[in-house]
Amino acid sequence: MKSSKIIPFLFVLLIFACSDSNSTGNGEEENLEPSLRNSPTFPVGFAIQQQHLNNGNYVNILREDARSLSAEYEMKMNILYPSSSGINYEPINNFLEYAELNDTRVHGHALIWHSSTPGWLENFSGSDSEFESIVENYIRDIVSTYKGRIASWDVVNEAFSDGSGEYRNSVFYQKMGETYIEKAFQWAREADPDLLLFYNDYGTIYDQDKYLAMIRMIDDFQDRGIPIDGVGFQMHVSYNFPSLEAIENAVQPILDRGLMVHFSELDIRVNPEGEQVDFNAEFSNRLTARVEEIFGYYRTIPGQYRYGITFWGVKDDDTWLRDFWQNQNEWPLIYDENFQPKEAHQAIIDMFAD
Ligand code: XIL
């Protein structure tokens, strides 16, 4: 090729390379203003509900902010496998449709969780080995169907009891014993060798018995070659509890074991004593300070172990805390009820500005 032809050719290549790296996956230019999506050095994500994908206000926020998505409840077994007659793939397909169009990672939550077991399986009257086959087929089916499209799953959620670290007496434990956990991880690995496999739990920052039970399980898995790639700390925290030191002390041994850490369900109670009925400046300061503390610590974790931070909801009235804990006076997220970003949102972006 003559040099007069090479230069325009290189120019065209350059344009392609640039447009590709700036692409959101939907053919449009990415907004290069600092945002939650492009500022932090690790993925920030949100748990959302399927219906939010049809709401332009949510979609605008997600496209601006989210590098990762979790389903708040639609990728749990009671929704995906509502009756013994078959699996309903529709919710997963809907999440993936958005995610693939917008170049967003999908973290699956959760293959096995005692609280989302479908009624028909909870009351299963067949033999234990029939029960186990159902669970095995379910995990293999879901994981292999979405091989290469879902990046990671919480394979087992909340397997240990509060305050004792005993195995939670779930139907899975009753029918299969403690080996249900390792089997679930093995089936998932076999169905998609590239899938990242997480154990996810709450209270593991401050409940020492539960924490040690989880560590024992991880050590046992690693000794015996049972696959596990990471730990999800749910991080349903308050503005002042647990301490940063407690968070660091819980996370470090996970890093020492070569596992990734996901702060998987972050929400921050700013009004744990219920003293006020409005979100005020004091609460905003509490939220911002805590977000800065948590993100500030998380960014010090070596890059290969940072799976990301996922907020459990986008805006304050999404929060499960209001229904589940019957506490209407909580504002634990980084958008207000009117889709307006709170100070904490900007604080995160500012932390990563050069
Ligand atoms: C909650 C959802 O937010 C609710 O919408 C649903 O009804 C119940 O589950 N720990 C978890 C999450 O792992 O799955 C829970 O999500 C919150 C606590």
Side-chain angles (χ1 to χ4, degrees), residues 46-49 51-52 55 58 61-62 72 267 311-323 330 332-333 335-337 339:
F46 297 87
I48 56 154
Q49 300 171 13
Q51 56 174 340
H52 297 159
N55 177 324
Y58 278 99
I61 289 175
L62 295 175
E72 189 178 345
D267 44 33
F311 287 98
W312 205 243
V314 173
K315 62 194 193 75
D316 284 334
D317 49 345
D318 294 338
T319 183
W320 72 300
L321 298 171
R322 293 192 181 177
D323 288 340
E330 263 309 346
L333 298 169
Y335 280 86
D336 72 13
E337 283 87 347
F339 295 97

Side-chain angles (χ1 to χ4, degrees), residues 83-130:
S83 83
S84 58
S85 61
I87 295 175
N88 170 22
Y89 301 95
E90 204 185 319
I92 301 189
N93 292 337
N94 290 340
F95 281 98
L96 282 177
E97 190 184 334
Y98 168 87
E100 290 173 356
L101 206 58
N102 292 284
D103 196 13
T104 305
R105 181 180 80 187
V106 172
H107 171 69
H109 172 81
L111 291 170
I112 293 188
W113 184 32
H114 68 281
S115 239
S116 61
T117 316
W120 65 271
L121 192 63
E122 190 79 48
N123 302 314
F124 188 70
S125 57
S127 70
D128 291 355
S129 68
E130 283 165 346

Side-chain angles (χ1 to χ4, degrees), residues 33-53:
E33 287 290 301
S35 73
L36 270 197
R37 190 179 157 97
N38 63 30
S39 295
T41 47
F42 47 82
V44 173
F46 297 87
I48 56 154
Q49 300 171 13
Q50 192 176 201
Q51 56 174 340
H52 297 159
L53 296 170

Side-chain angles (χ1 to χ4, degrees), residues 40 48 99 140 172 251 272:
I48 56 154
R140 287 188 188 278
F172 302 96
V251 167

Side-chain angles (χ1 to χ4, degrees), residues 72-73 76 109 113 157-158 200 234 236 265 312 320:
E72 189 178 345
Y73 63 88
K76 294 169 180 170
H109 172 81
W113 184 32
N157 192 31
E158 303 182 357
N200 193 57
Q234 291 187 7
H236 301 295
E265 304 183 17
W312 205 243
W320 72 300

Side-chain angles (χ1 to χ4, degrees), residues 185-220:
F185 278 81
Q186 282 168 316
W187 293 327
R189 173 55 41 92
E190 283 170 24
D192 178 359
D194 296 324
L195 182 72
L196 296 171
L197 312 176
F198 282 78
Y199 175 75
N200 193 57
D201 213 332
Y202 68 92
T204 37
I205 308 273
Y206 53 83
D207 181 334
Q208 197 60 8
D209 291 310
K210 189 188 275 192
Y211 181 71
L212 291 175
M214 179 176 79
I215 292 288
R216 274 197 300 277
M217 178 191 77
I218 292 168
D219 287 345
D220 174 48

